[in-house]
């Protein structure tokens, strides 16, 4: 038998490099989206229409928190063509936005 061919790939082999590449590429795409003129104007329009966090103002007791995030109800990576659709947007404050994303990941 010739020298054994290692079955296990050495640490840091192609699999993990591929994942990193994937993540970088996705981030790059959404970064380009969030930097686009179209998104900025849709976002500004959304914040003019609903300047307050929509979750806080539905809460009981009602809270009036200025919105800082325009969130995609159906996430951009799931529905890129809904990215600029106002009906798919939600004004959120920082707290609600991070809570929402944290519960989605869970
Ligand atoms: Zn809120
Ligand atoms: Zn979001």
């Amino acid at each position: 038998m010739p020298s054994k061919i290692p079955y296990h790939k050495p640490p840091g082999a192609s699999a993990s490099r591929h994942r990193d590449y994937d993540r970088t590429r996705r981030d790059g795409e959404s970064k380009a989206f969030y930097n686009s003129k179209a998104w900025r104007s849709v976002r500004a329009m959304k914040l003019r229409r609903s300047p307050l966090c929509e979750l806080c103002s539905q809460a009981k007791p009602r809270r009036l928190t200025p919105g800082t995030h325009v969130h995609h109800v159906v996430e951009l990576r799931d529905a890129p063509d809904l990215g600029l659709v106002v009906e798919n947007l939600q004004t959120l404050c920082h707290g609600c936005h991070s809570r929402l994303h944290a519960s989605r990941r869970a």
Side-chain angles (χ1 to χ4, degrees):
M1 255 237 330
S3 61
K4 263 194 189 162
I5 295 157
Y7 180 74
H8 292 289
K9 288 179 178 158
S14 58
S16 75
R17 256 209 311 277
H18 182 69
R19 255 204 315 277
D20 285 350
Y21 167 75
D22 245 31
R23 196 168 46 221
T24 314
R25 199 186 49 175
R26 265 202 304 275
D27 284 357
E29 278 170 7
S30 60
K31 207 165 160 189
F33 174 83
Y34 288 113
N35 280 329
S36 72
K37 227 181 188 167
W39 165 246
R40 284 179 212 225
S41 71
V42 170
R43 184 184 183 277
M45 185 178 76
K46 174 67 184 170
L47 285 175
R48 264 199 309 276
R49 282 193 196 177
S50 2
L52 297 173
C53 172
E54 293 178 27
L55 287 184
C56 285
S57 55
Q58 283 161 19
K60 287 173 186 155
R62 192 164 188 244
R63 281 171 292 155
L64 299 179
T65 316
T68 50
H69 286 64
V70 175
H71 167 71
H72 286 99
V73 179
V74 181
E75 295 209 38
L76 196 59
R77 62 162 180 269
D78 294 332
D81 41 327
L82 293 181
L84 297 171
V85 175
V86 183
E87 286 72 27
N88 189 40
L89 302 177
Q90 209 174 25
T91 304
L92 297 176
C93 68
H94 182 73
C96 288
H97 189 243
S98 20
R99 212 169 336 116
L100 209 108
H101 278 269
S103 69
R104 273 186 187 191
R105 267 194 294 274

